[in-house]
Amino acid sequence: MSRALATTTANASLPIPAGLDPARLPVHVAVIMDGNGRWAKQRNLPRVMGHREGVEALKRTLRLCSDWGIGALTAYAFSTENWNRPGEEVSFLMALFERVLARELQALEQEQVRIRFLGDLEPLPEGLQRLIADATERTAANTGIHFNVCTNYGGRAELVRAAQRLALRCVAGELDPAAIDEQQLAAELHTVGECDPDLLIRTSGERRISNFLLWQLAYAEIHITDVLWPDFNQAALLNALLDYQGRQRRFGGVEPC
């Protein structure tokens, strides 16, 4: 847990692997980081050890995406449903978020990473909220990869919030209900200003999107891997990107003759 993002700053960026077309990389990758608990169980370790190793996997993935020219990475860190986990685990996760963010913020600044936290942040511990506000402000003008951390996030809750905000504008006479379209709704989402993900990666073999980016994933390519998240590495990311580049993206149309 002592390794920081900045530890690789002195090293040359990792080149794009042979066989991967740099002109056809996804602009935005989203990840559902699943399997931390199972990784720990396989090793007879406490579940919290899986979460710690999961942080290292996320740092590796962020570094690789940045080095290979992917513009945005969005990670599903803590869902609205995760509050239902044992209190001890939830408390550990909140403390882990605080420690990691406090330790990594300077490195994120040096790496020109722009970080945002997407979700309902009010229920989070006050100390974590302050760190999030500080990190968001300090990295807002950075010109590198966009790193979005979905924290206390739920896709349905996000859509309800957007609908409520549009309804309030209508009641106030600021918006004609007939004028509401996809662009108006998208402008009320947590991801406003970010392009939709091109690729969703889910680890541990689970085949569902688990209330994650329900609106934004409408046309994302989905890559499922049996790799548990703490073991997600360069080879696993490469496999996902090669899978993506092998897809024919038609967006509801037909493949040209």
Side-chain angles (χ1 to χ4, degrees):
M1 284 292 292
S2 62
R3 299 189 299 276
L5 287 170
T7 57
T8 56
T9 303
N11 301 327
S13 297
L14 290 171
I16 295 178
L20 199 59
D21 183 354
R24 297 178 56 233
L25 288 170
V27 174
H28 185 174
V29 172
V31 291
I32 299 177
M33 306 177 292
D34 203 9
N36 290 347
R38 275 166 281 178
W39 182 92
K41 184 177 180 180
Q42 287 178 0
R43 291 159 177 78
N44 294 316
L45 297 171
R47 285 177 59 86
V48 295
M49 296 302 295
H51 295 311
R52 286 180 173 175
E53 288 302 315
V55 170
E56 298 302 323
L58 181 56
K59 287 159 55 177
R60 285 195 300 269
T61 304
L62 177 61
R63 160 61 65 186
L64 290 166
C65 287
S66 178
D67 284 353
W68 293 353
I70 292 169
L73 175 68
T74 298
Y76 203 6
F78 191 87
S79 74
T80 51
E81 293 76 22
N82 286 156
W83 294 106
N84 295 323
R85 295 187 176 189
E88 184 179 271
E89 183 175 351
V90 170
S91 296
F92 174 84
L93 287 169
M94 293 298 126
L96 182 63
F97 290 159
E98 287 195 41
R99 289 198 302 270
V100 171
L101 185 55
R103 190 184 64 232
E104 300 290 349
L105 181 53
Q106 184 177 358
L108 291 168
E109 289 184 291
Q110 292 174 353
E111 297 287 326
Q112 283 294 300
V113 175
R114 191 200 74 174
I115 188 169
R116 288 199 302 164
F117 290 80
L118 312 181
D120 180 7
L121 306 181
E122 289 187 7
L124 302 179
E126 290 186 4
L128 179 55
Q129 289 188 50
R130 287 193 295 271
L131 282 169
I132 286 173
D134 185 42
T136 303
E137 180 180 359
R138 286 169 56 178
T139 66
N142 286 354
T143 57
I145 188 171
H146 293 183
F147 182 33
N148 305 308
V149 185
C150 290
T151 310
N152 195 30
Y153 173 89
R156 288 182 174 182
E158 179 183 36
L159 292 173
V160 168
R161 170 183 174 272
Q164 290 173 337
R165 290 163 69 95
L166 290 172
L168 288 172
R169 291 175 58 194
C170 291
V171 170
E174 301 171 358
L175 179 65
D176 181 355
I180 297 174
D181 56 14
E182 291 186 11
Q183 288 71 34
Q184 292 275 359
L185 195 147
E188 300 294 346
L189 300 178
H190 294 301
T191 51
V192 61
E194 198 76 76
C195 64
D196 289 342
D198 306 290
L199 172 64
L200 169 68
I201 300 170
R202 178 153 194 168
T203 57
S204 85
E206 300 293 349
R207 299 178 180 274
R208 56 182 179 271
I209 59 174
S210 296
N211 200 22
F212 183 47
L213 300 178
L214 297 180
W215 176 275
Q216 299 87 339
L217 292 176
Y219 277 101
E221 301 297 326
I222 300 176
H223 174 82
I224 306 294
T225 175
D226 290 331
V227 173
L228 301 178
W229 178 249
D231 291 328
F232 195 82
N233 56 18
Q234 179 174 339
L237 179 60
L238 175 59
N239 285 338
L241 296 175
L242 289 172
D243 184 18
Y244 170 82
Q245 293 192 346
R247 308 283 181 91
Q248 180 63 248
R249 306 192 76 201
R250 295 185 294 275
F251 299 97
V254 296
E255 186 175 352
C257 298

